[in-house]
Amino acid sequence: MLKPLGDRVVIELVESEEKTSSGIVLPDSAKEKPQEGKVIAVGTGRVLENGERVELEVSVDDRIIFSKYAGTEVKYQGNEYLILRESDILAILGE
Amino acid sequence: MLKPLGDRVVIELVESEEKTSSGIVLPDSAKEKPQEGKVIAVGTGRVLENGERVELEVSVDDRIIFSKYAGTEVKYQGNEYLILRESDILAILGE
Amino acid sequence: MLKPLGDRVVIELVESEEKTSSGIVLPDSAKEKPQEGKVIAVGTGRVLENGERVELEVSVDDRIIFSKYAGTEVKYQGNEYLILRESDILAILGE
Amino acid sequence: MLKPLGDRVVIELVESEEKTSSGIVLPDSAKEKPQEGKVIAVGTGRVLENGERVELEVSVDDRIIFSKYAGTEVKYQGNEYLILRESDILAILGE
Amino acid sequence: MLKPLGDRVVIELVESEEKTSSGIVLPDSAKEKPQEGKVIAVGTGRVLENGERVELEVSVDDRIIFSKYAGTEVKYQGNEYLILRESDILAILGE
Amino acid sequence: MLKPLGDRVVIELVESEEKTSSGIVLPDSAKEKPQEGKVIAVGTGRVLENGERVELEVSVDDRIIFSKYAGTEVKYQGNEYLILRESDILAILGE
Amino acid sequence: MLKPLGDRVVIELVESEEKTSSGIVLPDSAKEKPQEGKVIAVGTGRVLENGERVELEVSVDDRIIFSKYAGTEVKYQGNEYLILRESDILAILGE
């Protein structure tokens, strides 16, 4: 198990070449392109200057899109993950 | 459905070549030019250091203008969107 | 109608070539030169970390001077405007 | 009348070539050199994160010295002024 | 004994060449790669603007992964350590 | 009289060539070298975000050492001074 | 006596060539190397935005390690010292 710290999130990459069940496809343009992932684990949240922790907006199993060059790759127990800060996540994909 | 995080907003681009119903036309000058869009979804707002969340000023269906190079393009279920931070939005177009 | 967000202000440019009624003339020197404008619409103000909004100091119809390279040009319903942050405004011109 | 915004101050330049009544003379060295001015108008002060405004330390008619390259030049009703932030003012000259 | 200050942590490096018991292996890609370590000592935490100290999330003996280029190497009483800030730690490895 | 603003301090330079009574001598090395000065006037202190002013730690007549390239030179009523921020002062020299 | 201001600390350098009693030896690698010192005097601490001062974690006579290029050298009454900010100190060496 990977337990991310603070406002970090562990995700499993959903490759953009395969058309995913949620139907996200990346357009081919000059702008920064996001990638899709699935949340595997979430941190306890960042600490505010008044001492409160802000719970993350994303939850385990959420499908998300995030900034393409964000995060750090990790291979753990045979699987590949990406560890991001929540601020690198753009949106949750709903149904 | 795309559910943006924090102070982010999902918009649908309104092409500046077509003269829109609200009548915004971009001048041809050297200054930074804004673009027009329509708000599709809004985030829950950013969290202040006292723990409060600040609700966004824009609402779904608002026509807005925003900084031209802001945001990330996303194609989702066949449609193209742009995900912006509210701070990249300049003004709401009223009637 | 253009409704600016946060601490933004919509102004109408007052060309510096014409000597305006308020009598402002820009000196020809190497320093940064301000420009004159008239306030058309004001935002609701920026939000402090304690949740309060700070009302803007400028009001509709105020004659102001602002930093020359500040703001974004917008043409809306046939008129040209500039959208600035209040922090780009240097002073209000009184009588 | 010029009414500066926030923590800004309108000053009238006191040329450093003429030896002023307060006797300030600028040394000829490699360090940054300040300039002398007289305060013509002061803003309402900057707003703290708790909502309070901090009244300026300088008052109208104060003789001050300020950082040489600070501020924006304005010619208004035939006179030349400089608009500075209070943080660009180094000291008040007393008798 | 090394007693780290503030939000710092002393760790013992777990070399990535050897396959560790927790099974972390670094993938060979262009992205930034993390490293694995074991926590030896933790600081008292950073101080918030309200005067509170935020206790660290990691504890002595935690297996962690951290940003590859973070930290300062120290050899102390014959052993090699790395001193990091907690913000350079990405996740705790659980079982 | 020079009345410095905020957290500023007016000092009189004590030349490092002359061995001063307090015995400070600057070593000849590659590191940044401090200089010695005597405090002539102190500001009212900086304002915290809660509205309080923080009184300066240095007082008039204190012998101090400060960062070599800090401050602005001023010649006033025939004397040369340096205006610094308190944060450029490293230490007070005691007996 | 040198009385450091704010969160500053006066230390006496412990040369890394000599193997010190606490046994710290610097490894020869490409990473940033710390140095060892002994605390001679500590400041009153930095001031938080709520007006509190945060007492330093280090005390006089503590053996510490700190970032190699941090601080300002001072020769005072025949001795050489280094003035650091507490944030440049990595850890206290215990027994």
Side-chain angles (χ1 to χ4, degrees), chain A residues 8-77:
Chain A
R8 286 188 180 86
V9 173
V10 178
I11 66 161
E12 215 173 60
L13 203 64
V14 176
E15 291 300 336
S16 59
E17 290 81 34
E18 63 186 81
K19 202 167 165 354
T20 69
S21 61
S22 59
I24 186 155
V25 180
L26 302 175
D28 37 26
S29 92
K31 284 224 180 175
E32 183 201 353
K33 288 167 193 170
Q35 273 187 302
E36 187 176 342
K38 187 180 147 196
V39 178
I40 300 300
V42 299
T44 51
R46 71 180 173 97
V47 177
L48 301 176
E49 289 301 324
N50 68 0
E52 269 182 58
R53 262 186 202 276
V54 187
E55 221 183 299
L56 272 72
E57 281 195 73
V58 297
S59 312
V60 171
D61 288 338
D62 278 353
R63 288 301 193 107
I64 56 147
I65 50 175
F66 61 93
S67 303
K68 193 175 187 174
Y69 300 106
T72 305
E73 292 178 3
V74 176
K75 194 179 267 183
Y76 182 62
Q77 298 180 330

Side-chain angles (χ1 to χ4, degrees), chain A residues 75, chain E residues 11-26 34-38 63-66 68 73-74 79-82 93, chain G residues 27 29 31:
Chain A
K75 194 179 267 183
Chain E
I11 66 162
E12 216 173 60
L13 204 64
V14 176
E15 290 300 337
S16 59
E17 290 80 33
E18 64 186 80
K19 203 167 162 1
T20 69
S21 61
S22 58
I24 186 155
V25 180
L26 302 175
Q35 273 187 302
E36 188 177 341
K38 187 178 146 196
R63 288 300 193 107
I64 56 147
I65 50 175
F66 61 93
K68 192 174 187 175
E73 292 178 3
V74 175
N79 302 309
E80 280 183 30
Y81 301 105
L82 206 61
L93 304 175
Chain G
S29 94
K31 287 223 177 175

Side-chain angles (χ1 to χ4, degrees), chain D:
Chain D
M1 211 199 69
L2 284 167
K3 190 182 146 200
L5 292 199
D7 61 346
R8 286 188 180 84
V9 172
V10 178
I11 66 162
E12 216 174 61
L13 204 63
V14 176
E15 291 301 336
S16 60
E17 290 81 34
E18 65 186 82
K19 200 163 165 355
T20 69
S21 62
S22 57
I24 185 155
V25 180
L26 301 176
D28 38 25
S29 92
K31 286 224 179 174
E32 184 200 352
K33 289 168 193 171
Q35 271 188 304
E36 187 176 343
K38 186 181 148 194
V39 178
I40 300 301
V42 298
T44 52
R46 71 179 173 98
V47 177
L48 300 176
E49 289 301 324
N50 69 358
E52 269 181 60
R53 263 187 201 276
V54 187
E55 220 182 299
L56 272 71
E57 282 194 71
V58 297
S59 312
V60 171
D61 288 337
D62 278 353
R63 288 301 194 106
I64 56 146
I65 50 175
F66 61 94
S67 304
K68 192 172 187 177
Y69 299 106
T72 306
E73 291 179 3
V74 176
K75 193 178 268 186
Y76 182 63
Q77 298 179 330
N79 300 311
E80 280 185 30
Y81 301 104
L82 206 61
I83 301 180
L84 302 172
R85 293 184 172 275
E86 194 188 42
S87 56
D88 293 318
I89 300 178
L90 300 168
I92 301 169
L93 304 174
E95 318 84 54

Side-chain angles (χ1 to χ4, degrees), chain C residues 17-77:
Chain C
E17 290 81 33
E18 64 187 82
K19 202 166 161 1
T20 69
S21 62
S22 58
I24 185 155
V25 180
L26 301 176
D28 37 26
S29 93
K31 286 226 180 174
E32 184 201 353
K33 288 168 193 169
Q35 271 188 304
E36 186 176 345
K38 187 181 147 194
V39 178
I40 299 301
V42 299
T44 51
R46 72 179 172 97
V47 178
L48 300 176
E49 289 300 325
N50 68 359
E52 270 181 59
R53 263 187 201 277
V54 186
E55 222 182 298
L56 273 71
E57 282 194 72
V58 297
S59 312
V60 171
D61 288 337
D62 278 353
R63 288 303 194 104
I64 56 147
I65 50 175
F66 61 94
S67 303
K68 192 173 188 177
Y69 300 106
T72 306
E73 291 178 3
V74 176
K75 193 178 269 184
Y76 182 63
Q77 298 180 330

Side-chain angles (χ1 to χ4, degrees), chain E residues 7-8 13 18 30 34 47 60 62 74 76 79 83 88 90-91:
Chain E
D7 62 346
R8 285 188 182 87
L13 204 64
E18 64 186 80
V47 177
V60 171
D62 278 353
V74 175
Y76 181 63
N79 302 309
I83 300 179
D88 292 318
L90 301 168

